[in-house]
Amino acid sequence: MTDKNTVFQQNKTLNIRGSLMDLSTPKVMGILNLTPDSFYDGGNYNQCDTALLQVGQMLEEGADFIDIGAYSSRPGAADISIDEEKERLVPVIKMIIKQFPHAILSIDTFRAEVARAALESGAHIINDISAGELDAQMFSTVAEYRVPYIMMHMKGTPKTMQQHATYSDVFNEVLDYFIQKVNVLKDLGVNDLIIDPGFGFAKTTNNNYTLLTRLDEFKILGLPLLAGLSRKSMIWKTLGTSANEALNGTTVLNTIALMKGASILRVHDIKPAVEAIKLVSQLHGL
């Protein structure tokens, strides 16, 4: 670290349905899993009433976005149909918007048809774990709706990704992947882009820590960075514990990600992430 101005990226904004969000101070994205089998909290919030309670709690604790997923992307997760994903997702989106009209909703899906249904229901952002690899219509859909697009690096599918965790140079392969994707999306007129290196997706533990160590080098893309480290196996396998015991480790790695320029922390636990941002911001505001 050379000076305090290099800790966070230069000022960035997202155009969210005509309103600009400033990312010069990092933001928190709360995870809402509507699935019965997600790796940490699967089944806890797959009913409308429990989902609404969780959204209210996350917003109260300071979440800037709510990221809603109805398709489990844990390693080895079973496939579900497009219709089932939409049936899980759309009613919850509508209820959240009705109860929390100012909430900014990100939709965790790699399917263009699901993305379209979510955006028509009032969602604001698409978060695609495959960066368009699993649905050729995703880029054109995002371009049509002119919404912010989070693209993550992954190889294979959620069911097969861990079979593809082989790299000669993981950082440069991921960087090259994003350079190609950014060029295609820019040509389509998509300007509000966010990069997610995909911790835990087709990555070994060593791959994950290499990407975290070099996270600041992704700034060459000139785009905001999202760090999705929350309670992942790179934490609890290293510590010999479990996802349930990985909150402290999550905060440690989130702090490192902030020091290396992350603009968004995607987390299960809002308050610790909000506090990490406040403390790192104070440290580098001296």
Side-chain angles (χ1 to χ4, degrees):
M1 184 175 63
T2 56
D3 65 69
K4 66 182 181 181
N5 294 318
T6 64
V7 177
F8 297 139
Q9 293 182 319
Q10 67 271 31
N11 286 5
K12 296 289 181 182
T13 58
L14 288 180
N15 186 337
I16 302 174
R17 294 192 183 271
S19 296
L20 293 182
M21 173 178 278
D22 182 8
L23 299 180
S24 58
T25 296
K27 307 300 182 190
V28 175
M29 174 175 282
I31 299 168
L32 180 68
N33 287 318
L34 305 180
T35 56
D37 57 346
S38 293
F39 79 93
Y40 169 60
D41 58 2
N44 288 354
Y45 310 115
N46 59 346
Q47 302 296 323
C48 282
D49 56 347
T50 54
L52 286 173
L53 286 172
Q54 178 66 358
V55 170
Q57 180 71 21
M58 289 194 289
L59 292 173
E60 185 178 337
E61 291 183 359
D64 301 287
F65 311 94
I66 305 296
D67 191 51
I68 310 172
Y71 183 111
S72 177
S73 56
R74 66 175 175 79
D79 189 36
I80 64 169
S81 70
I82 289 175
D83 286 344
E84 184 173 355
E85 187 177 358
K86 289 195 294 186
E87 287 167 7
R88 290 177 179 179
L89 189 61
V90 170
V92 174
I93 292 172
K94 291 179 177 178
M95 290 189 69
I96 292 172
I97 289 172
K98 182 178 180 180
Q99 186 156 333
F100 306 104
H102 300 297
I104 299 173
L105 304 184
S106 165
I107 305 304
D108 182 358
T109 186
F110 56 82
R111 290 162 161 168
E113 185 176 331
V114 176
R116 182 178 293 273
L119 293 170
E120 290 289 342
S121 299
H124 306 86
I125 299 168
I126 297 301
N127 180 9
D128 179 2
I129 62 171
S130 79
E133 290 289 324
L134 297 180
D135 191 329
Q137 300 303 310
M138 182 61 90
F139 282 9
S140 60
T141 299
V142 173
E144 176 186 346
Y145 282 85
R146 303 180 68 83
V147 293
Y149 181 57
I150 302 166
M151 54 178 171
M152 193 189 80
H153 176 273
M154 179 180 71
K155 295 196 291 185
T157 68
K159 193 170 185 177
T160 66
M161 60 186 174
Q162 293 311 109
Q163 301 168 28
H164 299 282
T166 54
Y167 305 86
S168 57
D169 182 332
V170 65
F171 173 79
N172 281 307
E173 184 170 328
V174 174
L175 179 62
D176 288 346
Y177 176 93
F178 284 134
I179 290 171
Q180 294 173 27
K181 298 288 184 181
V182 169
N183 288 336
V184 173
L185 286 158
K186 292 287 188 181
D187 286 345
L188 290 171
V190 181
N191 296 312
D192 292 290
L193 296 170
I194 299 164
I195 299 300
D196 178 353
F199 295 109
F201 287 80
K203 315 287 192 309
T204 65
T205 297
N206 285 342
N207 293 155
N208 289 321
Y209 282 98
T210 296
L211 290 172
L212 180 59
T213 299
R214 301 185 68 180
L215 189 66
D216 54 334
E217 296 181 52
F218 285 110
K219 290 183 184 180
I220 193 173
L221 296 167
L223 298 171
L225 301 173
L226 182 151
L229 296 155
S230 185
R231 297 183 179 270
K232 287 189 172 175
S233 65
M234 65 183 286
I235 300 168
W236 55 264
K237 285 184 178 179
T238 300
L239 298 175
T241 56
S242 68
N244 286 333
E245 301 170 284
L247 176 55
N248 184 58
T250 295
T251 301
V252 171
L253 295 195
N254 278 341
T255 302
I256 294 170
L258 291 170
M259 299 285 284
K260 290 184 171 289
S263 295
I264 301 173
L265 299 179
R266 183 179 182 272
V267 297
H268 298 89
D269 309 279
I270 307 304
K271 186 178 178 182
V274 169
E275 290 178 345
I277 289 169
K278 287 182 179 178
L279 293 172
V280 173
S281 297
Q282 176 69 19
L283 177 65
H284 296 285
L286 296 177

